[in-house]
Amino acid sequence: MAADIPLSDRLDDDDYPAYTMGRAAEMLGTTPAFLRAIGEARLITPLRSEGGHRRYSRYQLRIAARARELVDRGTPIEAACRIVILEDQLEEAQRINAEYRRAAEEASAGSRSSGSAPGHGPGPGPGAASS
C-alpha cells in the first residue's frame, strides 16, 4: 500500500501514519499511556503497522496535542476528548455552512444578473388591473 504512493506525497499527507507511538509521545511531550488513553476514549484511532504497532498521522498528533493542552489545564481526559470531538464537529459544521452560504450568494447573484426578478419580467406586474 505505502509502496504504491510516492515518498514525497506521503511526506505531505497529513493522514499518512508516519509516527510510531514512542515518537508521537516524544513529539507531544507525553507518554505512550496518554496516547493509549485517548485511543480508548475514541478520540483518535491509530493505524497499525504490519507488525501490529500503532502508527500516528500528523492530523492525529494535532488532535492529541489539543487534548493534552486541556488535560494539562486540569480537564479529565474523557472530558478533554469529548471537548476536542465537539470542537472538530463545530469546525466542520461551520465550514459546510460557509460553503452553503457561498453557493446561495452565487445563485442569488446569478438570478439577479439574468433580470428575472419577480415583477420585472414581461406581463402585468403587481397591482395591474384585471378585466
Side-chain angles (χ1 to χ4, degrees):
M1 175 180 115
D4 298 340
I5 304 169
L7 178 60
S8 61
D9 290 345
R10 285 183 274 158
L11 293 174
D12 292 336
D13 184 358
D14 270 358
D15 295 318
Y16 182 73
Y19 303 98
T20 63
M21 177 179 274
R23 180 68 180 130
E26 180 184 318
M27 290 172 68
L28 295 171
T30 190
T31 64
F34 175 80
L35 292 173
R36 280 191 294 276
I38 63 175
E40 289 169 11
R42 297 182 186 205
L43 178 61
I44 58 175
T45 303
L47 292 176
R48 299 281 182 150
S49 68
E50 289 181 16
H53 300 282
R54 291 175 178 90
R55 305 286 295 200
Y56 297 88
S57 68
R58 289 188 302 197
Y59 174 74
Q60 290 173 324
L61 294 183
R62 282 195 299 273
I63 290 176
R66 175 65 180 130
R68 178 163 184 242
E69 289 172 10
L70 293 168
V71 169
D72 287 350
R73 288 191 232 152
T75 306
I77 195 160
E78 297 82 13
C81 291
R82 185 68 183 138
I83 289 167
V84 173
I85 289 168
L86 290 170
E87 287 174 342
D88 192 51
Q89 289 173 345
L90 175 60
E91 183 180 319
E92 178 67 7
Q94 289 172 330
R95 184 191 62 74
I96 291 169
N97 192 19
E99 286 177 16
Y100 285 145
R101 190 176 300 120
R102 206 171 13 261
E105 289 171 356
E106 289 172 6
S108 177
S111 67
R112 279 192 302 246
S113 66
S114 66
S116 61
H120 296 295
S130 59
S131 336

